[in-house]
Amino acid sequence: MNDNKKNYDLLVVGAGLAGCEASWLAARAGLRVALADIKPDKFTPAHKYKGPAELVCSNSLGSMAEGTAAAQLKNEMRALGSVLLRAADASSVPAGKSLAVNREKLSDEVERLLAEAGVHVVSREITEIPDAPCVLATGPLTTDALAGALRDAAGGGDSLFYFDATSPIIASDSIDRNIVFAASRYGKGDADFLNCPMNEDEYKAFIRAVIEADKVVPHEFEKDKLFEACMPIEDIALRGEMTAAFGPMRPVGLDDPRTGRRPFAVAQLRAEDSDGEALSLVGFQTRMKHPEQKRVFRMIPGLENAEFLRYGVIHRNTYINSPQALDLTLQLLGRPGVFCAGQLTGVEGYLESASSGILAGIFAVAHITNQAVIPPPEKSMLGALHAHVTHSPHAPFTPMKANLGILPPPSEKKMPKKLRRVAKCEIAMRELEKWAKDISEIIKTGGRPS
């Protein structure tokens, strides 16, 4: 997009969560921002909707419960003006103590907010690293051409990648309500999940079918690259017959109203939209071939006549070796003004990717307006994730989700576990708020560079 360079101060490549956050922050700081994305002219294997900020794995943005990593990261992102969370609040659907959204409404709302902020969105495939200043936020499905250019700029060698899988989505009116019941575990909150109960024989037959089903098989060099948080149900099943019953199919806290007893196992469904017309199978990411998904998942009691609105898919995720390739402001070493953001940097998860985009936006604004900026404090969740990306000591470098284990413990050692978690989050929030105050002038620049 060098031909239009005089029309913008910052080019952001990729309109996923990270790219949208970076664009939003930079535009609100007063910069002229162009956001380039291959959609809607082209689509990756995992994307279906025309708009920005498309959620492709789950429609949940995680827990809102006090003392959880997901809630803490959301709180820190809100303190920095997250566009994703602003849009999520306007497109939420019932999900108990989690923040879940209608995917299409979320995308439409993000698109509206970006336009309101003055972000110029253009459909164009970028095949080379653009001239600085720019933010690369092309995500786990970066096209081969740009991935090759990025690999070379990051020092060459083999690209790092793993495979990710998504759950199928089922039409609500195709499930058997005489079998499937609405309930949240232990009756806490609203009954926002639909539960398909299984007895022992049904469960074991299902697990056998999952293991034996025909699947999309990765090449030999692609094996052992699956990320734990999105482990396909068939890989979980291969770890032992009862593994799923202690994982995504655990029945604890649920009683089948037909029997008054806890079932041997359950498969849970969660609403994809505010009307509950589309339901996703919770924790049932899969790489089974489509006909097999239809056959095997219809073995679940209550889903015998299930209509599949979207089958689960498996797709490649790509990320760079960030500790060796990026500096503390997410700039490519040797390429000043070229910032990276999102899953491309080695964070994993919706919130984590979006928060990385916020940071890249802050660093880019500071760079363009010649202002000093330091990374967020490592005692905050955002800072701890940033530290993992920029100087993780572990080899090989692998993606990480937000978790309380990366926050330092409170000084008071003799505290109940739950209170320690809350205390960690309180410390993290105080640290983040101090940092947000320190960089407030960067975020509120209000003018373009000369």
Side-chain angles (χ1 to χ4, degrees):
M1 290 184 59
N2 295 336
D3 53 329
N4 293 327
K5 184 155 186 191
K6 292 183 180 179
N7 296 330
Y8 58 83
D9 304 308
L10 176 68
L11 171 64
V12 179
V13 184
L17 304 185
C20 289
E21 291 282 16
S23 300
W24 164 260
L25 187 140
R28 296 187 79 206
L31 300 187
R32 299 171 302 176
V33 179
L35 175 58
D37 194 62
I38 63 172
K39 294 194 305 182
D41 291 347
K42 294 183 179 180
F43 286 82
T44 73
H47 291 88
K48 305 296 181 185
Y49 194 59
K50 61 181 177 58
E54 181 181 359
L55 306 185
V56 299
C57 184
S58 164
N59 71 326
S60 175
L61 296 176
S63 175
M64 296 186 292
E66 182 185 27
T68 62
Q72 178 57 32
L73 187 53
K74 280 195 280 288
N75 289 338
E76 294 183 16
M77 290 169 62
R78 289 187 192 279
L80 297 170
S82 167
V83 68
L84 172 66
L85 294 179
R86 182 176 293 202
D89 291 338
S91 58
S92 63
V93 299
K97 291 185 177 181
S98 296
L99 175 58
V101 299
N102 178 308
R103 299 170 195 251
E104 294 185 1
K105 286 185 179 179
L106 175 80
S107 176
D108 292 345
E109 182 64 9
V110 169
E111 186 173 37
R112 184 189 72 78
L113 289 168
L114 291 178
E116 190 178 82
V119 176
H120 176 58
V121 182
V122 59
S123 178
R124 184 176 300 185
E125 181 179 356
I126 305 297
T127 58
E128 298 180 351
I129 297 177
D131 292 337
C134 68
V135 174
L136 300 178
T138 47
L141 294 177
T142 298
T143 59
D144 290 342
L146 183 56
L150 184 58
R151 180 194 60 220
D152 293 341
D158 294 332
S159 295
L160 298 177
F161 64 92
Y162 60 97
F163 275 72
D164 199 2
T166 61
S167 300
I169 296 176
I170 294 169
S172 175
D173 60 6
S174 69
I175 68 175
D176 187 346
R177 300 284 179 151
N178 292 318
I179 296 174
V180 179
F181 63 95
S184 291
R185 297 188 192 280
Y186 301 106
K188 293 182 178 180
D190 297 327
D192 294 329
F193 292 86
L194 294 177
N195 303 277
C196 306
M198 287 183 171
N199 60 36
E200 184 174 359
D201 289 340
E202 290 167 336
Y203 169 79
K204 291 182 177 179
F206 173 74
I207 293 298
R208 285 195 300 272
V210 166
I211 292 172
E212 295 169 0
D214 195 11
K215 306 169 187 71
V216 176
V217 181
H219 297 292
E220 186 65 31
F221 67 89
E222 298 166 342
K223 293 181 180 179
D224 302 322
K225 295 285 186 178
L226 288 161
F227 182 61
E228 288 286 332
C230 279
M231 184 68 62
I233 185 64
E234 50 269 23
D235 289 86
I236 293 173
L238 283 170
R239 293 182 173 185
E241 186 178 50
M242 294 301 297
T243 304
F246 288 95
M249 301 183 71
R250 64 190 183 279
V252 295
L254 297 167
D255 291 327
D256 187 343
R258 296 178 302 168
T259 64
R261 298 189 303 272
R262 187 175 75 181
F264 188 82
V266 297
Q268 287 194 307
L269 298 152
R270 178 178 56 218
E272 281 281 326
D273 53 50
S274 55
D275 296 326
E277 297 295 330
L279 305 168
S280 60
L281 270 167
V282 180
F284 276 71
Q285 296 87 357
T286 184
R287 56 183 175 186
M288 281 187 268
K289 294 183 177 179
H290 292 180
E292 291 290 79
Q293 290 184 45
K294 187 174 183 179
R295 177 182 68 83
V296 173
F297 290 137
R298 281 184 170 180
M299 294 175 65
I300 298 173
L303 303 187
E304 291 86 353
N305 298 303
E307 176 189 351
F308 290 82
L309 302 180
R310 186 194 75 185
Y311 289 105
V313 297
I314 187 164
H315 53 88
R316 186 190 72 189
N317 279 4
T318 302
Y319 58 95
I320 60 178
N321 192 353
S322 294
Q324 295 183 16
L326 303 180
D327 70 10
L328 292 179
T329 60
L330 300 178
Q331 292 182 79
L332 274 173
L333 295 175
R335 296 293 298 269
V338 177
F339 300 83
C340 295
Q343 283 186 256
L344 198 59
T345 66
V347 293
E348 176 56 39
Y350 291 150
L351 295 174
E352 293 82 353
S353 296
S355 66
S356 173
I358 294 175
L359 283 185
I362 291 170
F363 294 142
V365 170
H367 174 82
I368 293 168
T369 57
N370 297 310
Q371 298 182 74
V373 64
I374 61 172
E378 292 187 24
K379 289 183 179 180
S380 68
M381 186 64 73
L382 188 57
L385 282 170
H386 179 262
H388 172 75
V389 165
T390 56
H391 52 276
S392 171
H394 303 294
F397 174 65
T398 56
M400 180 179 286
K401 288 180 68 70
N403 65 89
L404 296 181
I406 61 177
L407 295 180
S411 56
E412 174 60 52
K413 298 186 181 300
K414 294 183 179 180
M415 296 174 67
K417 189 174 183 179
K418 184 175 182 180
L419 291 181
R420 287 177 65 81
R421 290 173 176 170
V422 172
K424 279 187 174 186
C425 292
E426 289 175 346
I427 294 170
M429 199 67 221
R430 286 196 298 269
E431 292 290 326
L432 191 282
E433 286 174 343
K434 286 182 199 175
W435 183 72
K437 185 177 181 180
D438 290 341
I439 64 163
S440 60
E441 291 306 311
I442 296 174
I443 299 175
K444 299 175 183 177
T445 300
R448 296 194 296 271
S450 58

